[in-house]
């Protein structure tokens, strides 16, 4: 997805794209040393990173939400401790929950509908999954609801050397155009389908 977005931006700006495959941890130092101009690598905007680089507008967003049964004693992410949490294997929901609560509290399923079925059948206490498919699962199964408080918000953006406002403005302008003409959404949709969002 990132390579396709980079190519679309370069095309918009009339620039030549050169992709360099690097270790994730070396991206920010490479920006700071002018080894690379931009970093597109599914990088989430965090306060720590914002101290070291500038970020473009977000080009993709992920929201992990919690599905519970009506009447559940789970009211927010704070209530998940010690609960049995259903996730879709390999998603960010899986990674976060396993990291936060331990493998013994996380039950992995091959897909979202299987996780939701387990919730309906009282085999687990909740499901943590991407917001878009979650809406469909709740609409299709009476007695379920999505908590108002998200489990995690993820904003993916392009990292650029701190202070390089000229390039930042150009990239943001290109992103705005790509969003306006539907190119950006078509690239995101190509890689993030409703059933495999937030991999």
């Amino acid at each position: 997805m990132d390579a396709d977005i980079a190519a679309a931006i370069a095309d918009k700006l009339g620039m030549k794209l050169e992709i360099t495959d690097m270790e994730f941890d070396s991206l920010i130092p490479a920006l700071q040393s002018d080894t690379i101009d931009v970093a597109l690598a599914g990088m989430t905007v965090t306060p720590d990173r914002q101290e070291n680089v500038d970020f473009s507008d977000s080009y993709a967003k992920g929201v992990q939400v919690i599905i519970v049964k009506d009447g559940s004693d789970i009211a927010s992410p704070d209530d998940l401790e010690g609960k049995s949490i259903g996730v879709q294997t390999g998603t960010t929901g899986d990674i976060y929950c396993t990291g936060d609560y331990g493998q013994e509290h996380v039950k992995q399923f091959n897909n979202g509908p299987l996780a939701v079925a387990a919730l309906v059948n009282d085999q687990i206490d909740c499901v943590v999954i991407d917001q878009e498919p979650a809406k469909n699962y709740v609409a299709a199964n009476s007695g379920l609801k999505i908590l108002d408080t998200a489990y995690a918000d993820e904003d993916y953006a392009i990292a650029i050397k701190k202070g390089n406002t000229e390039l930042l403005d150009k990239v943001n302008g290109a992103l705005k155009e790509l969003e306006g003409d539907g190119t950006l959404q078509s690239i995101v949709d190509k890689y993030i389908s409703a059933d495999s969002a937030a991999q």
Side-chain angles (χ1 to χ4, degrees):
M1 178 172 83
D2 294 312
D4 282 4
I5 290 171
I9 289 170
D11 191 48
K12 247 333 156 190
L13 297 176
M15 294 177 161
K16 181 177 169 285
L17 176 66
E18 183 183 320
I19 294 178
T20 308
D21 191 14
M22 306 177 80
E23 291 291 323
F24 191 83
D25 289 347
S26 66
L27 292 173
I28 289 176
L31 285 168
Q32 292 170 326
S33 65
D34 292 317
T35 306
I36 59 174
D37 299 303
V38 298
L40 270 93
M43 194 180 286
T44 304
V45 179
T46 66
D48 285 351
R49 291 176 182 156
Q50 286 176 307
E51 288 177 16
N52 297 299
V53 294
D54 289 330
F55 279 103
S56 70
D57 297 333
S58 173
Y59 63 85
K61 184 180 280 290
V63 180
Q64 296 293 309
V65 297
I66 304 167
I67 304 174
V68 297
K69 291 182 89 166
D70 289 339
S72 169
D73 62 352
I74 299 171
S76 79
D78 299 337
D79 301 324
L80 294 182
E81 195 68 50
K83 299 294 186 184
S84 176
I85 305 164
V87 296
Q88 183 178 339
T89 306
T91 60
T92 45
D94 181 5
I95 294 161
Y96 296 152
C97 291
T98 301
D100 290 347
Y101 303 106
Q103 184 64 60
E104 68 275 16
H105 294 290
V106 178
K107 189 156 172 55
Q108 294 156 320
F109 296 89
N110 287 335
N111 57 49
L114 287 176
V116 172
L119 174 61
V120 169
N121 295 321
D122 296 318
Q123 295 166 299
I124 52 176
D125 299 311
C126 66
V127 173
V128 173
I129 201 159
D130 194 74
Q131 179 173 297
E132 291 311 309
K135 291 176 187 171
N136 296 328
Y137 301 146
V138 168
N141 294 276
S142 62
L144 299 184
K145 65 180 180 180
I146 297 172
L147 295 184
D148 291 336
T149 313
Y151 184 75
D153 288 306
E154 304 160 322
D155 271 311
Y156 302 121
I158 301 164
I160 295 171
K161 185 177 181 178
K162 200 134 192 86
N164 189 348
T165 50
E166 184 188 347
L167 183 57
L168 182 65
D169 290 345
K170 284 181 179 176
V171 167
N172 277 335
L175 276 175
K176 200 168 293 257
E177 285 183 38
L178 292 168
E179 193 172 0
D181 68 15
T183 304
L184 187 59
Q185 192 59 52
S186 70
I187 293 171
V188 171
D189 288 345
K190 181 175 157 187
Y191 293 96
I192 305 178
S193 69
D195 280 334
S196 63
Q199 294 288 325

